[in-house]
Tab-separated table of all heavy atoms in Angstrom:
chain	number	residue	atom	x	y	z
R	53	GLU	N	38.773	-46.004	-64.702
R	53	GLU	CA	38.759	-45.424	-63.309
R	53	GLU	C	37.828	-46.139	-62.442
R	53	GLU	O	36.739	-46.539	-62.864
R	53	GLU	CB	38.412	-43.954	-63.402
R	53	GLU	CG	39.413	-43.074	-64.124
R	53	GLU	CD	39.025	-41.614	-64.133
R	53	GLU	OE1	37.872	-41.298	-64.013
R	53	GLU	OE2	39.952	-40.757	-64.293
R	54	VAL	N	38.172	-46.351	-61.153
R	54	VAL	CA	37.318	-46.999	-60.193
R	54	VAL	C	37.041	-45.982	-59.062
R	54	VAL	O	37.884	-45.129	-58.766
R	54	VAL	CB	37.939	-48.325	-59.616
R	54	VAL	CG1	38.142	-49.293	-60.764
R	54	VAL	CG2	39.227	-48.027	-58.874
R	55	TYR	N	35.879	-46.136	-58.441
R	55	TYR	CA	35.539	-45.217	-57.361
R	55	TYR	C	35.977	-45.857	-55.999
R	55	TYR	O	35.650	-46.959	-55.659
R	55	TYR	CB	33.997	-44.987	-57.322
R	55	TYR	CG	33.653	-43.889	-56.369
R	55	TYR	CD1	33.766	-42.566	-56.649
R	55	TYR	CD2	33.129	-44.196	-55.070
R	55	TYR	CE1	33.467	-41.544	-55.782
R	55	TYR	CE2	32.835	-43.189	-54.215
R	55	TYR	CZ	32.964	-41.861	-54.540
R	55	TYR	OH	32.670	-40.877	-53.631
R	56	ILE	N	36.807	-45.010	-55.276
R	56	ILE	CA	37.252	-45.396	-53.967
R	56	ILE	C	36.636	-44.466	-52.931
R	56	ILE	O	36.808	-43.263	-53.002
R	56	ILE	CB	38.778	-45.389	-53.838
R	56	ILE	CG1	39.463	-46.206	-54.993
R	56	ILE	CG2	39.328	-45.776	-52.486
R	56	ILE	CD1	39.262	-47.705	-54.871
R	57	GLU	N	35.991	-45.086	-51.906
R	57	GLU	CA	35.455	-44.226	-50.868
R	57	GLU	C	36.501	-43.396	-50.192
R	57	GLU	O	37.546	-43.905	-49.755
R	57	GLU	CB	34.715	-45.123	-49.839
R	57	GLU	CG	33.818	-44.411	-48.885
R	57	GLU	CD	32.546	-43.865	-49.515
R	57	GLU	OE1	32.054	-44.604	-50.460
R	57	GLU	OE2	32.183	-42.765	-49.203
R	58	GLY	N	36.266	-42.066	-50.126
R	58	GLY	CA	37.226	-41.196	-49.484
R	58	GLY	C	38.250	-40.652	-50.445
R	58	GLY	O	38.899	-39.624	-50.152
R	59	LEU	N	38.378	-41.198	-51.621
R	59	LEU	CA	39.378	-40.722	-52.620
R	59	LEU	C	38.725	-40.260	-53.901
R	59	LEU	O	39.285	-39.462	-54.688
R	59	LEU	CB	40.373	-41.814	-52.956
R	59	LEU	CG	41.282	-42.311	-51.833
R	59	LEU	CD1	42.216	-43.495	-52.366
R	59	LEU	CD2	42.220	-41.193	-51.284
R	60	GLY	N	37.505	-40.773	-54.127
R	60	GLY	CA	36.819	-40.413	-55.398
R	60	GLY	C	37.267	-41.384	-56.526
R	60	GLY	O	37.603	-42.506	-56.297
R	61	TRP	N	37.278	-40.871	-57.767
R	61	TRP	CA	37.619	-41.618	-58.903
R	61	TRP	C	39.122	-41.723	-59.078
R	61	TRP	O	39.837	-40.698	-59.110
R	61	TRP	CB	36.976	-41.083	-60.184
R	61	TRP	CG	35.494	-41.200	-60.228
R	61	TRP	CD1	34.599	-40.251	-59.886
R	61	TRP	CD2	34.752	-42.399	-60.509
R	61	TRP	NE1	33.325	-40.728	-60.047
R	61	TRP	CE2	33.383	-42.078	-60.382
R	61	TRP	CE3	35.144	-43.665	-60.944
R	61	TRP	CZ2	32.427	-43.021	-60.665
R	61	TRP	CZ3	34.147	-44.578	-61.213
R	61	TRP	CH2	32.736	-44.280	-61.097
R	62	VAL	N	39.636	-42.911	-59.201
R	62	VAL	CA	41.087	-43.178	-59.228
R	62	VAL	C	41.392	-43.967	-60.516
R	62	VAL	O	40.798	-45.013	-60.802
R	62	VAL	CB	41.580	-43.959	-58.032
R	62	VAL	CG1	43.022	-44.291	-58.127
R	62	VAL	CG2	41.265	-43.211	-56.711
R	63	GLU	N	42.351	-43.428	-61.319
R	63	GLU	CA	42.768	-44.159	-62.478
R	63	GLU	C	43.480	-45.422	-62.125
R	63	GLU	O	44.317	-45.418	-61.239
R	63	GLU	CB	43.696	-43.210	-63.342
R	63	GLU	CG	44.185	-43.869	-64.593
R	63	GLU	CD	45.610	-44.478	-64.419
R	63	GLU	OE1	46.448	-43.906	-63.750
R	63	GLU	OE2	45.813	-45.613	-64.858
R	64	LEU	N	43.171	-46.514	-62.845
R	64	LEU	CA	43.705	-47.831	-62.426
R	64	LEU	C	44.020	-48.674	-63.662
R	64	LEU	O	43.347	-49.639	-64.036
R	64	LEU	CB	42.650	-48.552	-61.518
R	64	LEU	CG	43.302	-49.572	-60.513
R	64	LEU	CD1	44.234	-48.820	-59.576
R	64	LEU	CD2	42.185	-50.246	-59.685
R	65	GLY	N	45.076	-48.227	-64.436
R	65	GLY	CA	45.478	-48.979	-65.528
R	65	GLY	C	45.278	-48.314	-66.876
R	65	GLY	O	44.744	-47.167	-66.917
R	66	GLY	N	45.550	-49.010	-67.927
R	66	GLY	CA	45.378	-48.489	-69.268
R	66	GLY	C	44.967	-49.615	-70.179
R	66	GLY	O	45.277	-50.856	-69.908
R	67	ALA	N	44.241	-49.333	-71.242
R	67	ALA	CA	43.718	-50.360	-72.172
R	67	ALA	C	43.535	-49.816	-73.539
R	67	ALA	O	43.534	-48.583	-73.770
R	67	ALA	CB	42.427	-50.931	-71.639
R	68	GLY	N	43.351	-50.716	-74.537
R	68	GLY	CA	43.145	-50.289	-75.898
R	68	GLY	C	43.209	-51.475	-76.867
R	68	GLY	O	43.306	-52.657	-76.363
R	69	VAL	N	43.105	-51.182	-78.112
R	69	VAL	CA	43.203	-52.218	-79.193
R	69	VAL	C	44.563	-52.023	-79.860
R	69	VAL	O	44.942	-50.860	-80.235
R	69	VAL	CB	42.034	-52.027	-80.194
R	69	VAL	CG1	42.208	-53.074	-81.298
R	69	VAL	CG2	40.696	-52.142	-79.538
R	70	PHE	N	45.355	-53.078	-80.005
R	70	PHE	CA	46.654	-52.945	-80.635
R	70	PHE	C	46.574	-52.338	-82.012
R	70	PHE	O	45.651	-52.735	-82.781
R	70	PHE	CB	47.319	-54.364	-80.699
R	70	PHE	CG	48.145	-54.768	-79.470
R	70	PHE	CD1	48.360	-56.124	-79.325
R	70	PHE	CD2	48.659	-53.852	-78.621
R	70	PHE	CE1	49.112	-56.510	-78.186
R	70	PHE	CE2	49.382	-54.198	-77.607
R	70	PHE	CZ	49.635	-55.519	-77.399
R	71	ARG	N	47.441	-51.430	-82.291
R	71	ARG	CA	47.497	-50.766	-83.643
R	71	ARG	C	47.943	-51.848	-84.675
R	71	ARG	O	48.632	-52.817	-84.344
R	71	ARG	CB	48.502	-49.646	-83.615
R	71	ARG	CG	48.134	-48.533	-82.681
R	71	ARG	CD	49.232	-47.439	-82.556
R	71	ARG	NE	49.604	-46.937	-83.860
R	71	ARG	CZ	50.160	-45.680	-84.010
R	71	ARG	NH1	50.329	-44.906	-82.882
R	71	ARG	NH2	50.486	-45.230	-85.144
R	72	LYS	N	47.535	-51.556	-85.915
R	72	LYS	CA	47.915	-52.513	-86.989
R	72	LYS	C	49.428	-52.517	-87.174
R	72	LYS	O	49.948	-53.529	-87.636
R	72	LYS	CB	47.155	-52.136	-88.307
R	72	LYS	CG	45.688	-52.481	-88.240
R	72	LYS	CD	45.040	-52.275	-89.596
R	72	LYS	CE	43.580	-52.695	-89.569
R	72	LYS	NZ	42.921	-52.513	-90.878
R	73	GLU	N	50.046	-51.405	-86.840
R	73	GLU	CA	51.497	-51.315	-86.995
R	73	GLU	C	52.201	-52.377	-86.071
R	73	GLU	O	53.297	-52.764	-86.348
R	73	GLU	CB	52.046	-49.965	-86.661
R	73	GLU	CG	51.743	-48.876	-87.738
R	73	GLU	CD	50.399	-48.170	-87.428
R	73	GLU	OE1	49.599	-48.700	-86.643
R	73	GLU	OE2	50.309	-46.949	-87.856
R	74	VAL	N	51.462	-52.793	-85.007
R	74	VAL	CA	51.971	-53.784	-84.010
R	74	VAL	C	51.718	-55.179	-84.540
R	74	VAL	O	52.578	-56.051	-84.490
R	74	VAL	CB	51.404	-53.517	-82.648
R	74	VAL	CG1	51.895	-54.629	-81.657
R	74	VAL	CG2	51.849	-52.170	-82.089
R	75	THR	N	50.499	-55.427	-84.971
R	75	THR	CA	50.084	-56.814	-85.270
R	75	THR	C	50.365	-57.169	-86.688
R	75	THR	O	50.700	-58.402	-86.972
R	75	THR	CB	48.566	-56.896	-85.037
R	75	THR	OG1	47.880	-55.917	-85.830
R	75	THR	CG2	48.185	-56.642	-83.591
R	76	SER	N	50.379	-56.334	-87.680
R	76	SER	CA	50.521	-56.679	-89.049
R	76	SER	C	51.845	-57.356	-89.381
R	76	SER	O	51.876	-58.351	-90.096
R	76	SER	CB	50.323	-55.472	-89.979
R	76	SER	OG	50.486	-55.749	-91.294
R	77	PRO	N	52.978	-56.855	-88.871
R	77	PRO	CA	54.274	-57.567	-89.189
R	77	PRO	C	54.335	-59.009	-88.745
R	77	PRO	O	55.158	-59.794	-89.306
R	77	PRO	CB	55.317	-56.757	-88.427
R	77	PRO	CG	54.685	-55.409	-88.234
R	77	PRO	CD	53.201	-55.696	-88.063
R	78	PHE	N	53.415	-59.517	-87.893
R	78	PHE	CA	53.464	-60.825	-87.458
R	78	PHE	C	52.301	-61.663	-87.989
R	78	PHE	O	52.065	-62.785	-87.536
R	78	PHE	CB	53.432	-60.870	-85.848
R	78	PHE	CG	54.600	-60.187	-85.188
R	78	PHE	CD1	54.412	-58.878	-84.610
R	78	PHE	CD2	55.855	-60.696	-85.250
R	78	PHE	CE1	55.493	-58.249	-83.997
R	78	PHE	CE2	56.926	-60.034	-84.664
R	78	PHE	CZ	56.751	-58.787	-84.036
R	79	GLY	N	51.674	-61.171	-88.995
R	79	GLY	CA	50.568	-61.931	-89.670
R	79	GLY	C	49.365	-62.055	-88.822
R	79	GLY	O	48.550	-62.979	-89.102
R	80	ILE	N	49.135	-61.107	-87.889
R	80	ILE	CA	47.952	-61.234	-87.050
R	80	ILE	C	46.859	-60.303	-87.746
R	80	ILE	O	47.011	-59.133	-87.909
R	80	ILE	CB	48.233	-60.650	-85.669
R	80	ILE	CG1	49.350	-61.529	-84.987
R	80	ILE	CG2	46.975	-60.646	-84.768
R	80	ILE	CD1	49.859	-60.915	-83.700
R	81	ASP	N	45.801	-60.955	-88.153
R	81	ASP	CA	44.762	-60.330	-89.000
R	81	ASP	C	43.534	-59.947	-88.235
R	81	ASP	O	42.594	-59.395	-88.815
R	81	ASP	CB	44.369	-61.195	-90.162
R	81	ASP	CG	45.558	-61.533	-91.069
R	81	ASP	OD1	46.445	-60.675	-91.215
R	81	ASP	OD2	45.618	-62.686	-91.590
R	82	HIS	N	43.486	-60.292	-86.963
R	82	HIS	CA	42.218	-59.992	-86.150
R	82	HIS	C	42.558	-59.040	-85.012
R	82	HIS	O	43.676	-58.917	-84.567
R	82	HIS	CB	41.680	-61.272	-85.646
R	82	HIS	CG	41.397	-62.293	-86.675
R	82	HIS	ND1	40.227	-62.178	-87.438
R	82	HIS	CD2	42.054	-63.414	-87.058
R	82	HIS	CE1	40.138	-63.245	-88.256
R	82	HIS	NE2	41.294	-63.962	-88.119
């Protein structure tokens, strides 16, 4: 969330760490 003058805190996107269910089938170990 970023602070916008006059609007307050505004959600701006999403983020996270890929689940192993996503990376493991492709041999991604990190």
Side-chain angles (χ1 to χ4, degrees):
E53 292 183 337
V54 299
Y55 188 80
I56 305 291
E57 194 69 38
L59 296 177
W61 291 99
V62 177
E63 178 266 318
L64 210 58
V69 181
F70 272 158
R71 295 172 58 154
K72 286 187 177 180
E73 288 94 336
V74 175
T75 57
S76 180
F78 300 106
I80 300 168
D81 300 324
H82 301 283

